[in-house]
Amino acid sequence: HVQLVESGGGSVQAGESLRLSCGDSGDTGSSYCMGWFRQAPGKGRERVATINAYRTTSYADSVKDRFTISKDNAKNTLYLLMNSLKPDDTAMYYCAARRSNYCSINQETFNYWCQGTQVTVS
């Protein structure tokens, strides 16, 4: 059974950085796609970044070159380093796991979700 627990959100000024962490209780590292998603007030949830079992990453255009997704399989932890934060990055951020070596842009195919953490940029 996989349980994802997220941490690292908070309130920052524009231009600053934050790192989100997502620890899991199961062995998602070796054979899962992991991803970060976010939902801003009044908007739908959108994909931010994903990393597959082979460490191939993919980013939304809005965060490319500013955010970095990574994972530490030994610690069963997924990270999202967010640099040069903008007010438009304000949202609830969620990590998720998909039971596949490969990722999908379809959020409905992700099997496990964390509780979410708020990121506010002013």
Side-chain angles (χ1 to χ4, degrees):
H1 178 69
V2 173
Q3 184 174 4
L4 303 177
V5 179
E6 188 176 3
S7 62
S11 297
V12 296
Q13 298 291 315
E16 294 184 342
S17 299
L18 273 178
R19 189 178 77 162
L20 304 181
S21 300
C22 176
D24 70 73
S25 58
D27 184 18
T28 59
S30 59
S31 58
Y32 279 64
C33 161
M34 303 294 294
W36 290 98
F37 298 81
R38 68 185 181 185
Q39 186 167 19
K43 296 186 178 181
R45 189 171 59 194
E46 64 175 357
R47 180 185 68 94
V48 175
T50 57
I51 182 167
N52 68 17
Y54 307 103
R55 299 184 181 276
T56 300
T57 58
S58 177
Y59 297 91
D61 288 343
S62 59
V63 306
K64 202 171 293 184
D65 298 326
R66 297 189 299 122
F67 290 13
T68 302
I69 187 172
S70 62
K71 61 180 179 176
D72 185 332
N73 288 345
K75 296 182 178 180
N76 286 341
T77 302
L78 177 73
Y79 301 100
L80 183 68
L81 176 60
M82 304 182 292
N83 293 324
S84 303
L85 282 161
K86 305 175 181 179
D88 285 348
D89 295 318
T90 295
M92 185 71 79
Y93 282 71
Y94 301 89
C95 64
R98 181 175 188 260
R99 283 195 305 264
S100 171
N101 287 340
Y102 297 98
C103 294
S104 168
I105 61 173
N106 183 352
Q107 300 178 29
E108 301 304 317
T109 66
F110 281 75
N111 306 98
Y112 304 100
W113 293 82
C114 69
Q115 79 284 359
T117 189
Q118 179 67 38
V119 172
T120 302
V121 185
S122 59

